[in-house]
Amino acid sequence: MRGLLLHTLAQQMPGMMHGPDAFSLFNHRLSGLLVLLLGALAYVDATASGKQRERVRLLWPLPLLLLGLYLLVRSDDPSWPPRFVKQLSTVEGIQHKLFAVMALSLGGIELLRRSGRLTHPLWSYVFYAVMLLAGVFLLFHGGHHSGMVHIEHTAMGVIAIAIAVVKVTADRKRAVTWLSASLLPGLFVLLGLQLLLYVE
């Protein structure tokens, strides 16, 4: 499975400099791999115990931070070095930067919460609100795309909203439940696969 995913990503790399569509596909594939990693870490986080769980607790936010950093720098510009002003010249480019900020916010808040540096309960609600906002934002993701692309983004938005709702519900439980051990990782995997299979 891992070999297939890496092969799929590698197929996009040679063509990523050959046009905006190829670069967009590469970005979606990369995002898909990071979301799949989130799903795997969410499963281990819910089912592991002892020192293993403590290590995974701090690893879980890292894919979000990597995704946010990458999108912040290279979401809409295949050239190197990337031209940040050019990336902000369209509504779609601004939306991608907002997604990057949301991913960085989610990763940063959760990392600081899990490391014990953000202890006020309000931070958990900020985290949930940003998760939900990201899903809603995907529902209205604009740009000059085909009908299929709009359908794909709508489906991603629905799954992202479902992830936020399940995450809130699972976190309210004191014990590990099927929500945290099965449904939440499964939704991350579903979103990751959708990103990997994204077409334009």
Side-chain angles (χ1 to χ4, degrees):
M1 179 66 174
R2 185 180 66 176
L4 176 63
L5 295 177
L6 292 175
H7 177 70
T8 302
L9 181 62
Q11 283 183 317
Q12 299 300 322
M13 295 181 79
M16 64 181 285
M17 301 300 288
H18 296 166
D21 288 345
F23 186 64
S24 174
L25 289 175
F26 172 81
N27 286 346
H28 282 85
R29 304 289 191 271
L30 180 61
S31 300
L33 288 175
L34 290 172
V35 173
L36 284 176
L37 180 57
L38 270 177
L41 290 174
Y43 173 78
V44 177
D45 184 40
T47 58
S49 59
K51 292 183 178 180
Q52 185 183 25
R53 187 165 192 268
E54 287 303 313
R55 287 193 294 267
V56 173
R57 279 180 58 78
L58 295 179
L59 286 176
W60 189 87
L62 295 185
L64 285 169
L65 291 172
L66 290 173
L67 177 62
L69 285 171
Y70 177 81
L71 291 178
L72 194 65
V73 176
R74 303 210 67 198
S75 60
D76 294 277
D77 188 4
S79 63
W80 189 262
R83 293 158 292 186
F84 194 77
V85 174
K86 178 185 176 183
Q87 296 178 45
L88 294 174
S89 62
T90 64
V91 172
E92 187 178 7
I94 294 171
Q95 289 176 339
H96 288 156
K97 294 310 176 197
L98 288 174
F99 281 126
V101 170
M102 289 178 193
L104 283 171
S105 300
L106 288 170
I109 290 170
E110 190 66 358
L111 182 61
L112 292 172
R113 284 179 61 213
R114 288 170 177 244
S115 62
R117 297 185 181 182
L118 293 179
T119 57
H120 197 285
L122 181 61
W123 283 108
S124 63
Y125 294 103
V126 173
F127 178 83
Y128 301 141
V130 175
M131 278 190 85
L132 187 61
L133 180 62
V136 172
F137 207 61
L138 271 170
L139 294 176
F140 302 99
H141 183 42
H144 301 289
H145 297 299
S146 66
M148 174 59 72
V149 170
H150 287 294
I151 291 172
E152 288 177 304
H153 281 103
T154 300
M156 290 178 201
V158 170
I159 297 171
I161 291 171
I163 288 173
V165 172
V166 172
K167 175 76 173 154
V168 172
T169 308
D171 285 357
R172 297 283 75 89
K173 307 287 185 181
R174 293 186 178 181
V176 174
T177 66
W178 65 276
L179 289 171
S180 57
S182 300
L183 186 56
L184 184 61
L187 286 170
F188 275 122
V189 169
L190 186 61
L191 181 57
L193 289 175
Q194 191 168 15
L195 286 162
L196 279 176
L197 299 174
Y198 175 84
V199 294
E200 292 191 345

